[in-house]
Amino acid sequence: VGWGAVTRNHYFFNANIHDGVLLEPGGHFHSKGLYAHAPSHFKFQLRKKWKRFTATAGLQKGVHSFGSGIFIVRGDGKELYLTQLLKETATEFIDLSVQGVDTLELEIVSGKEGNGNCWTVWGSPLLLK
């Protein structure tokens, strides 16, 4: 993770950050999700037991205009999905097949030099059988 800590189902906060704790990519609430300041990388062992992956990719509500992120989904090292450059309130819904995938990777890279304000969220990620 690029800064702070990875969190699950809430936004990163500490004594100096008081933006709230709810995950709100694009200003829309998600009760479940993964937050990480880009760059970030998550890896999950699916063991070829799942058929679909869905999620809403976006930046946390309140991000400054210079924050950005590109969300990448890989299955067994192969790129399955690449979002456009997301900034501010832009989101992208991801819905793709992961049938036959052993290892799923969720990666986010900053869309610019440096990573200031790259507060990224995988909102409502789901694996479906």
Side-chain angles (χ1 to χ4, degrees):
V1 66
W3 182 83
V6 171
T7 62
R8 187 178 64 153
N9 303 333
H10 67 86
Y11 171 57
F12 173 79
F13 61 93
N14 68 23
N16 299 318
I17 299 174
H18 303 284
D19 296 318
V21 298
L22 302 177
L23 293 176
E24 298 180 79
H28 300 282
F29 172 70
H30 291 261
S31 62
K32 305 284 185 192
L34 300 169
Y35 166 84
H37 193 291
S40 66
H41 187 245
F42 297 90
K43 195 173 197 179
F44 303 96
Q45 296 302 316
L46 301 187
R47 294 178 175 73
K48 302 179 182 183
K49 295 180 181 179
W50 302 92
K51 291 187 178 178
R52 298 206 71 71
F53 170 74
T54 64
T56 298
L59 277 75
Q60 176 65 15
K61 178 179 140 186
V63 69
H64 295 283
S65 62
F66 53 87
S68 64
I70 299 169
F71 294 69
I72 306 160
V73 181
R74 289 190 183 91
D76 298 327
K78 178 183 173 189
E79 186 176 291
L80 302 176
Y81 196 92
L82 176 74
T83 68
Q84 63 182 332
L85 173 67
L86 299 179
K87 297 180 80 176
E88 298 181 81
T89 60
T91 60
E92 205 166 307
F93 183 69
I94 300 166
D95 182 355
L96 56 93
S97 173
V98 291
Q99 193 161 357
V101 171
D102 189 48
T103 303
L104 181 71
E105 296 175 79
L106 306 178
E107 182 179 1
I108 305 168
V109 295
S110 172
K112 59 188 177 61
E113 189 174 320
N115 69 340
N117 279 265
C118 296
W119 310 339
T120 56
V121 177
W122 296 94
S124 302
L126 289 174
L127 286 167
L128 306 165
K129 286 192 175 187

